[in-house]
Amino acid sequence: MSYSMDPPHLLGIAERMRRSFDEVHEVTIALQRAVDAVARTLARAVPAHPAFVEAAQTRVHLAHRIVARGRATVSALQTAVLAYLSADDEMAVTTDARAAAVGAGDGNPFDPVVFGKRRL
């Protein structure tokens, strides 16, 4: 069957994106550990500690949100592609049933010679 998009290729891209977001998530966890270690070290330097924690935690939270939204986007893309394929299969079944009902045989019910032809 011919599609206006290449579903396997699109799903492959989505899977690679999902793996990339998994890697970003692992880096985010490592970043959180590094931020925590630096924060513990700066705890003795009282004036620098709050400023560092505020700046670093903002970046860590941003990284977590990027991962969450990226994963949600990939999931939505996969769901849309699967729904497209399901609808396309349903359309093919309906078209085949209609063609069989009107006696078109294995021909194309949308053939310009047949389509729109008045049936008595």
Side-chain angles (χ1 to χ4, degrees), residues 11 13-14 26 39 41 53 61 90 109 113-114:
L11 289 173
I13 290 171
E26 290 174 16
T41 303
V53 169
H61 291 304
E90 184 179 326
V113 174
V114 176

Side-chain angles (χ1 to χ4, degrees), residues 1-16 77-78 80-82 84-85 88:
M1 182 159 290
S2 176
Y3 296 103
S4 60
M5 63 176 183
D6 183 5
H9 181 69
L10 194 55
L11 289 173
I13 290 171
E15 181 60 25
R16 287 193 302 273
L77 173 65
Q78 290 170 327
V81 170
L82 294 175
Y84 173 87
L85 291 173
D88 190 68

Side-chain angles (χ1 to χ4, degrees), residues 28 31-32 54 56-66:
T28 301
L31 174 63
Q32 180 68 58
E54 181 181 342
Q57 287 299 343
T58 300
R59 301 320 185 265
V60 170
H61 291 304
L62 175 62
H64 283 295
R65 287 194 311 271
I66 288 170

Side-chain angles (χ1 to χ4, degrees), residues 21-59:
F21 284 118
D22 289 345
E23 290 174 13
V24 170
H25 180 68
E26 290 174 16
V27 170
T28 301
I29 291 170
L31 174 63
Q32 180 68 58
R33 289 183 187 135
V35 165
D36 291 345
V38 172
R40 283 191 301 274
T41 303
L42 288 176
R44 291 179 287 247
V46 177
H49 182 261
F52 171 77
V53 169
E54 181 181 342
Q57 287 299 343
T58 300
R59 301 320 185 265

